[in-house]
Structures are given as C-alpha cells and as structure tokens.
Amino acid sequence: MSIDEQLDSLLCGIEEIHSEDELKKKLQEKRPLRIKFGVDPTSPDIHLGHTVPLLKLRQFQDLGHHAVLIIGDFTARIGDPTGRNTTRPELSQEIITQNAKTYEQQAFKILDHSKTEIVYNSQWFDTMNSSQIIHLLARKPVAQLLQRRDFKQRMEEGHNIQLHELTYPLLQGWDSVEVKSDVEIGGSDQLFNFLMGRDLQEQEKQCPQVVMTLPILEGTDGHEKMSKSLNNYIGVTESPEEMFGKTMSISDELMQKWQKILFIGDDFSDHPMEAKKQLGEKIVTRFHSADAATQARQNWEKQFSEKQVPENIPTYHLVANEPLWQLLKNAKLAPSSSEARRMIQQGAVSFEGEKISDEKTVLTQPGVIKYGKRHYLKLTK
C-alpha cells in the first residue's frame, strides 16, 4: 500500500486526529511506529467497547507497526476519573494483578502477539521518589487540569474531586514519555489525557505523539458507555449463546451504530431482524468461530422463534432439601445468593414453564429451569 492508501485505511472510523499531517510524516519515515494503547485493569474482563481501539491497533500491526499495550497497574490504584461523577473505589493490589493477567490473555484474541509489547506502568511509577513525583506534578497548573470536562461538571454539580484524581492525566501522559509512543489511540473521552502526553513529550524533547480517538461504543442499554459496572456489556470471553442473545436484545438504532463502530463490515440484510442476527453471528465468529456462531443462532431461534428449549444446556444433579435460591447459585446460574433471590422475586425463574416466586421452594423432580431470558438448566436425579 502507498502512504496515502495506508493513511486512508488508518483514518477509517477515526473520530478525531491530532494531526493527519503528522501521521503522514511518520508513515513516510518507513519504520515501524510505536502505537500506544493503555488500559487500567479495574475489572477482570475486556468487553466489546475495549475492542474498538484494539481493532485499530491490529490494523496498525497488519501494516507493519508495533503495538505497545500499557497495563495501568499503577494508575488503576487511582482510577481514571473519565466519565465519573464520583471518586472510584480503591482496588487492592491483589485484585489489580489478577485482572491484569486476564487483560493480557483477552487482548490477544485481537492483537498479533509477535508485534505486541506489554508493559506495566508500575515499572516506572513505583521507582519514582518523592522528589521526582513532585517534579512531574509541577509540569501543569491546577487551573488547566480543572478545565477537563469531567472535573468541571463535577464541580458544577457539587461533587467532590479528590486531589489524587487530578494527577491522573499527568500520569497517563507520562506513560507516553516512558514508552516513546509515536501514536496513541483510544476512546474520544480520553482526548484530554492524550493531549497531555503530547505536551509532556515535547517538554522532554521527544517528537509528540499523534493522537487518534475513536467513537465510544454504547452498551446494550443504548444509553450509557459500555461498562461492566452498568451491566450493559458483552465480554469477549462470554459464551457464543450469551454473545448472540445480548446482541439480539439491542435496539435497531443501536445495531446500526455497532455495525459501523465495530469495523464488522457492511453486508447486512435490509430487514432489521435478519440484520441483527447477522451482526450477532459476526460478533460470535470474531471471538469464537463460524460454527459456534451458527449454533448460537440456531439455539436462539429455537428458544425465541420456535419456543423450544436449546440443545446442550448444562445439567445439575438435584440435592435433597436444597432451596431454589441456593440451587441457582450452586449451579452457577446466579452469580450470588442475593441475585438468585432477586430473580426469583421478580418472576424471572420458572420450572417446566411455571414461574416460581418462593425462593425457599425445593425441587424434587427432574425437569428444566429457565433463568432470565436466555439461561436454562436441566435438573437430574
């Protein structure tokens, strides 16, 4: 590909760039560029929202460039204030370490391992002494940091901003200095932090990174940014059936946005229902296989179109005197006892087609439990 062709390809789907001319000049150097993408391991799973920049990162790799995946194990202790109206809860180092391991594994569902460098930002921040930290914080005035949209909004709404949160953009920006990034990519909500990286690189006499932002993927609710804390996400390690079922639950309007943002092609049916099924198949194929996607679609159609119980549902051996709420938790249908009780109380649990509203019900006969809209369990003796 010519430089202009590479540029056109890389700019596809980009929301904002600083700047196109700078990226073209870097491409003309005909060397592998260092493309930075950072994630804070604040939860154990990568979801579809995370994959948007990862897919752009893979596009750079396919053109011969080098991905630098920064695992923000140090910055996760602070928590990115982006899009938050309250201070994030502090995570233990043990949880951060566990989450970081899963991030590495899941990222390689998209990235080319041979062209990826993984670094943890604790490598440089943990070795900084107090004098060096103060020197870094002295780089920017407080007034500039408070111009960040999230902080301004919180102040206007009367919410507190903790002092450590103000340091986050500087810390993320310093990551760019440490890894000498040529390009940084991420969601459009990260623009302030990315530009901070450019400023700090210039102060350190480095060539400033090109900043490329991508649109934010809305979650399955169609309103908020995809987030595990809002339970509106599709995780990249979820089962094919779960991925397909969640995709089928989104609105037609959101479906059209996902088609564009997820770089998933444009060969969709004009019929909304069929187009949504095709989208679900493409998502499952990307993270599992084409066969798994076909099976997930067939199972969904049996369940919802033909009102049949899907094949190959998990089984559970009945335990004497086990109340329903405990059965649901032990069978891993419900993530917790409280969630099991909540689902029963809301009428979202049935046995052989009959809803059960008493959480203390003890089932003694084989049959099929339906939990929520998509989950089934076969009880055996």
Side-chain angles (χ1 to χ4, degrees), residues 123-134:
Q123 293 175 19
W124 43 87
F125 288 127
D126 275 349
T127 59
M128 279 188 172
N129 59 37
S130 57
S131 177
Q132 291 171 317
I133 292 173
I134 291 173

Side-chain angles (χ1 to χ4, degrees), residues 328-346:
L328 296 175
K329 181 178 180 294
N330 290 343
K332 297 184 174 12
L333 274 182
S336 65
S337 301
S338 59
E339 180 68 9
R341 290 188 171 99
R342 186 183 69 81
M343 291 292 281
I344 295 169
Q345 292 166 4
Q346 292 181 349

Side-chain angles (χ1 to χ4, degrees), residues 290-306:
D291 288 343
T294 300
Q295 186 64 54
R297 173 171 176 160
Q298 290 175 352
N299 286 343
W300 187 90
E301 289 174 340
K302 284 181 179 179
Q303 180 180 346
F304 290 96
S305 301
E306 303 169 18

Side-chain angles (χ1 to χ4, degrees), residues 44-271:
D45 297 316
I46 287 178
H47 54 63
L48 289 188
H50 295 121
T51 70
V52 177
L54 286 173
L55 289 164
K56 181 58 66 175
L57 202 58
R58 178 56 190 258
Q59 191 178 12
F60 270 101
Q61 289 183 316
D62 291 341
L63 291 172
H65 302 292
H66 188 76
V68 182
L69 178 62
I70 295 183
I71 305 293
D73 59 328
F74 182 90
T75 43
R77 302 173 202 171
I78 298 173
D80 185 0
T82 302
R84 308 284 294 194
N85 59 13
T86 58
T87 302
R88 285 180 180 271
E90 186 175 350
L91 298 177
S92 70
Q93 187 57 47
E94 181 182 6
I95 291 175
I96 291 172
T97 301
Q98 291 173 352
N99 292 345
K101 290 179 181 178
T102 65
Y103 269 48
E104 281 192 44
Q105 298 165 355
Q106 295 169 35
F108 288 119
K109 285 181 170 288
I110 296 174
L111 299 181
D112 182 339
H113 202 295
S114 67
K115 297 177 182 177
T116 303
E117 174 185 346
I118 295 180
V119 291
Y120 288 72
N121 62 12
S122 61
Q123 293 175 19
W124 43 87
F125 288 127
D126 275 349
T127 59
M128 279 188 172
N129 59 37
S130 57
S131 177
Q132 291 171 317
I133 292 173
I134 291 173
H135 180 69
L136 174 59
L137 297 181
R139 302 287 186 110
K140 291 292 177 181
V142 171
Q144 182 179 350
L145 295 173
L146 289 176
Q147 288 304 305
R148 180 177 162 144
R149 181 178 56 191
D150 310 84
F151 293 149
K152 287 179 67 176
Q153 183 176 346
R154 282 166 66 174
M155 290 179 66
E156 290 169 359
E157 294 175 352
H159 297 296
N160 287 330
I161 300 172
Q162 301 300 325
L163 184 58
H164 72 288
E165 294 181 275
L166 292 176
T167 69
Y168 191 93
L170 276 164
L171 297 178
Q172 184 174 329
W174 190 254
D175 288 345
S176 298
V177 174
E178 289 287 344
V179 301
K180 297 179 172 60
S181 66
D182 291 300
V183 179
E184 180 164 19
I185 61 175
S188 56
D189 57 345
Q190 294 288 317
L191 180 60
F192 185 95
N193 297 350
F194 295 168
L195 295 177
M196 185 69 70
R198 280 175 61 92
D199 288 348
L200 293 176
Q201 284 181 311
E202 287 186 298
Q203 290 180 23
E204 292 295 311
K205 310 303 181 185
Q206 293 182 12
C207 182
Q209 64 187 12
V210 172
V211 168
M212 302 175 73
T213 64
L214 292 143
I216 300 299
L217 190 72
E218 293 174 8
T220 52
D221 57 6
H223 302 291
E224 301 287 345
K225 173 183 174 180
M226 185 172 285
S227 166
K228 187 169 185 182
S229 62
L230 296 174
N231 197 29
N232 65 352
Y233 72 103
I234 297 178
V236 301
T237 58
E238 289 190 287
S239 69
E241 287 73 20
E242 192 74 5
M243 281 186 173
F244 190 89
K246 286 185 176 181
T247 303
M248 294 305 297
S249 72
I250 67 176
S251 67
D252 293 346
E253 180 183 3
L254 184 59
M255 171 187 67
Q256 294 170 1
K257 293 180 181 179
W258 281 21
Q259 289 171 353
K260 180 180 180 181
I261 294 175
L262 290 171
F263 306 104
I264 213 153
D266 55 7
D267 53 335
F268 291 94
S269 169
D270 293 332
H271 191 282

